[in-house]
Amino acid sequence: MDFYVIIQLILVAIGATSAMTWFSYAMSKSFRELYKEPVLLSYALKKTNISLSEKSQKTWGWLIHYIIGFLFVMGYYIVWVKNMLSVSPLNALLLGVISGVIGILSWIVIFKMTDHQPPIDFKGYYIQLFFAHIIFAVTATALYSITLTLLILLKAYVTV
């Protein structure tokens, strides 16, 4: 994996994670529930008794959220370059469904491990989380396709 691909995957992860986060924040506001992953991550960190200031917990909540997004994009990239799935809208939905299930299971584990039971509608949270991951995967696939084209052009015309 070369420098350009790493930059490409970072940009894809930032875009896809931001789209997912925007959706979660919109659903949180619409349903008047706490469906904000970075906020829930910072609360989970607080429950681990790791000695961090409140500001650091919030920062780490956001950072962890984007790191996880990058790891999902890395997984997608491996699936795409190994030709397990093609880069297509239908496969983006499939990746979103798989990611949604992984996301829900991960949050169940996080809540159990940290003994954190936020006052939220868990069923509603998991439903919105499932759809947030579909948005993540569709956005990641679209951005990957666009950046792949740009990367091919960049490599053809620019030398570093």
Side-chain angles (χ1 to χ4, degrees):
M1 186 179 323
D2 66 17
F3 173 76
Y4 291 112
V5 173
I6 292 168
I7 298 300
Q8 174 193 21
L9 297 180
I10 289 170
L11 293 173
V12 169
I14 289 169
T17 305
S18 296
M20 172 188 174
T21 306
W22 174 84
F23 175 78
S24 293
Y25 271 65
M27 292 297 97
S28 190
K29 184 176 182 180
S30 177
F31 290 101
R32 295 188 175 126
E33 289 282 348
L34 178 58
Y35 293 159
K36 303 171 182 178
E37 292 84 9
V39 174
L40 290 168
L41 282 168
S42 69
Y43 289 159
L45 274 174
K46 188 177 192 174
K47 288 288 191 174
T48 64
N49 294 323
I50 295 172
S51 182
L52 293 172
S53 69
E54 190 172 324
K55 183 178 179 183
S56 292
Q57 287 170 353
K58 289 178 182 178
T59 301
W60 275 105
W62 279 96
L63 189 60
I64 291 168
H65 184 55
Y66 275 87
I67 289 169
I68 292 168
F70 178 76
L71 294 174
F72 269 98
V73 167
M74 283 292 298
Y76 295 178
Y77 175 75
I78 291 166
V79 165
W80 292 326
V81 297
K82 299 276 186 188
N83 289 320
M84 293 181 221
L85 290 175
S86 62
V87 180
S88 72
L90 185 60
N91 286 333
L93 290 175
L94 177 60
L95 287 171
V97 167
I98 293 167
S99 299
V101 171
I102 291 169
I104 291 166
L105 293 174
S106 298
W107 274 105
I108 290 170
V109 169
I110 289 168
F111 290 140
K112 293 274 187 218
M113 281 179 47
T114 60
D115 208 22
H116 179 52
Q117 295 298 313
I120 63 172
D121 168 23
F122 284 95
K123 182 180 176 186
Y125 176 64
Y126 294 138
I127 290 169
Q128 83 75 38
L129 187 65
F130 180 79
F131 287 104
H133 279 88
I134 290 174
I135 289 169
F136 176 90
V138 169
T139 304
T141 302
L143 291 175
Y144 180 77
S145 296
I146 293 166
T147 58
L148 186 60
T149 303
L150 294 174
L151 188 61
I152 290 167
L153 292 171
L154 186 65
K155 283 185 173 184
Y157 295 106
V158 177
T159 57
V160 175

